[in-house]
Amino acid sequence: MTRHPPFTPAWDDDRMPLARRLTLPDAVAIGLGSMIGAGVFAVWGPAVDVAGNATLVALAIAAAVAYANATASAQLAAVHPVAGGTYAYARAEIGPWWGFVAGWSFVIGKIASCAAMAMTFAAYAAPAGWQTPVAVIAVAALAVVNCLGVTRTALATRILVACSLLGLAVVVAVGFGAAPTASPAPLPDATVYGVLQGAGLLFFAFAGYARIATMGEEVVDPARTIPRAIVLALGGAVVVYALVGLVVLLVLGGDARGAAAPLADVLTAAGWSAFAPVVRIAAAAASLGALLALLTGIGRTTLAMAREGDLPRVLARIDDRNQVPRRAEITLAVIVIGLVLVGDLREVIGFSSFGVLLYYLIANAAAFRQQGAARRYPRMLQVGGALGCLVLVSTLPVLASLLGTGVVLLGIAGRAVRMRWPQRGRP
């Protein structure tokens, strides 16, 4: 088995490295901000609809797959503490082509997620008819925050995560208080396929831990901080989701099926409908927090790919003053705004999910190849994570899988064409 040295970015001498300013609390906050997004306010309706009385089992499966993937990311990040996440790890451990597929899958999938998250925020925060302009303003404002420096990004994420957790705490407290006298509707019986579908839906709520790894070049003492931050953030998100899911089942039961705002329904069923605006504000804050973390993570992966010539090298420029990839951030914001203006992208979230699962599949493969002192976790965790990704991707809608496959193949073809001119790219 080939042993690979730590990944070394191939930027030019006049291109600055990113500044290491993120501490453990900053990294944990960014991870939580990515995971505790709008999904926790809306995912329960679809999950209960397919998983029925085994919704918490589906949650446990999703958490187990997420944990396996998280340990793979943590093990890789400790050896390759640079920007780019699995793009950089796979280049070092497996080869440039696998790194490209991972990075390309991450970027295209998460750009779609950014657009959907912006529109989700606008659906909660904007009056009727103003959703699109508000979504555009949100993307532009958060891009400005990112361009001002990573410490401001971390501070903004902490504030948004705190608002989200406050709203969720109100729902959990009211829900558990009302549970003894509640009369929830019967839950549908679960099927094996339905449970796996539910796990597939719930898995993407946990996918944000990769955002910590993509920012490896900006974390203080990355070999120690990144693995701890990934596990802590994932553990915190699992606890939050378990408490919220239990409340939804105890208070609403089968009435949660297909509900657009199940947490607001919990307050209404408990006789606390006056507090529904709290959930609305918390959902808006969660959407902004997730969008901010998404934009930050995609910017770093774009930076890493541009350094290697897998994306236009102009995007590899680091701002001299704030030491952030400003050109990459602005370019991504413009693309996301363009997608927001096109219309409702919620129908293509399955496409985003396809990219995320492919990204983590490659992360597990890269971690599996590590040996010696680089190993922190048993290889069976990486095998389980890879199998989990394959099982969950099989539950995605066929159209989403076909679209995702087509876009990935298009990216591979583009790289193959570019590689015919060695002077314009790197192998």
Side-chain angles (χ1 to χ4, degrees):
M1 185 178 295
T2 304
R3 300 190 66 176
H4 296 265
F7 178 76
T8 302
W11 62 75
D12 296 337
D13 291 340
D14 63 338
R15 291 179 179 172
M16 301 169 61
L18 298 170
R20 296 197 181 277
R21 295 174 175 172
L22 296 178
T23 62
L24 178 62
D26 294 330
V28 172
I30 288 172
L32 281 173
S34 301
M35 287 182 274
I36 304 178
V40 72
F41 295 89
V43 75
W44 303 106
V48 171
D49 194 32
V50 296
N53 55 14
T55 298
L56 294 183
V57 176
L59 178 65
I61 293 173
V65 175
Y67 176 75
N69 293 340
T71 56
S73 295
Q75 180 175 290
L76 289 161
V79 178
H80 308 287
V82 296
T86 300
Y87 169 73
Y89 312 152
R91 281 186 66 92
E93 299 292 341
I94 309 177
W97 275 104
W98 287 103
F100 172 80
V101 173
W104 181 246
S105 299
F106 181 85
V107 170
I108 62 176
K110 291 304 182 180
I111 283 177
S113 293
C114 283
M117 200 60 65
M119 288 185 285
T120 301
F121 163 74
Y124 280 103
W130 287 85
Q131 284 87 353
T132 299
V134 169
V136 169
I137 292 171
V139 174
L142 294 186
V144 170
V145 171
N146 277 340
C147 288
L148 290 177
V150 70
T151 53
R152 291 171 176 81
T153 297
L155 175 61
T157 302
R158 284 191 186 188
I159 294 171
L160 293 170
V161 169
C163 292
S164 305
L165 292 176
L166 179 62
L168 293 174
V170 170
V171 173
V172 169
V174 170
F176 277 123
T181 59
S183 300
L187 289 161
D189 292 332
T191 64
V192 173
Y193 186 74
V195 171
L196 291 176
Q197 274 192 313
L201 290 169
L202 291 163
F203 169 79
F204 304 114
F206 298 127
Y209 51 78
R211 220 73 68 247
I212 303 170
T214 61
M215 302 179 70
E217 197 174 315
E218 295 163 278
V219 175
V220 177
D221 190 10
R224 175 180 170 85
T225 300
I226 295 175
R228 292 175 64 194
I230 288 175
V231 174
L232 287 173
L234 178 60
V238 170
V239 171
V240 170
Y241 270 81
L243 290 174
V244 174
L246 186 58
V247 162
V248 169
L249 296 178
L250 289 175
V251 177
L252 297 181
D255 288 338
R257 299 178 65 183
L263 302 195
D265 294 343
V266 166
L267 295 181
T268 300
W272 289 67
S273 57
F275 279 78
V278 173
V279 173
R280 203 171 187 85
I281 293 171
S287 301
L288 278 184
L291 176 58
L292 179 60
L294 280 168
L295 288 170
T296 305
I298 301 170
R300 273 55 182 180
T301 301
T302 300
L303 168 69
M305 295 182 74
R307 283 169 167 172
E308 298 301 319
D310 283 332
L311 289 176
R313 291 186 182 277
V314 68
L315 301 178
R317 179 70 181 178
I318 301 297
D319 179 61
D320 294 335
R321 179 177 179 181
N322 295 316
Q323 292 182 286
V324 295
R326 184 172 60 184
R327 292 180 182 178
E329 296 283 2
I330 294 174
T331 301
L332 289 167
V334 170
I335 295 173
V336 172
I337 288 172
L339 292 175
V340 168
L341 294 174
V342 168
D344 188 353
L345 293 181
R346 292 173 186 174
E347 293 84 358
V348 299
I349 289 302
F351 162 73
S352 173
S353 302
F354 179 91
V356 170
L357 285 168
L358 182 56
Y359 176 85
Y360 287 123
L361 177 64
I362 296 174
N364 280 290
F368 184 85
R369 288 177 60 88
Q370 290 183 294
Q371 56 185 331
R375 296 213 61 81
R376 290 171 174 253
Y377 304 97
R379 280 192 169 89
M380 285 307 299
L381 270 178
Q382 284 106 57
V383 173
L387 290 176
C389 289
L390 291 173
V391 170
L392 294 185
V393 81
S394 70
T395 68
L396 294 176
V398 175
L399 181 60
S401 296
L402 291 175
L403 179 61
T405 301
V407 176
V408 170
L409 290 176
L410 183 64
I412 292 174
R415 188 176 194 269
V417 171
R418 183 184 58 79
M419 295 304 295
R420 294 176 66 88
W421 290 273
Q423 72 277 12
R424 297 178 58 187
R426 306 177 71 91

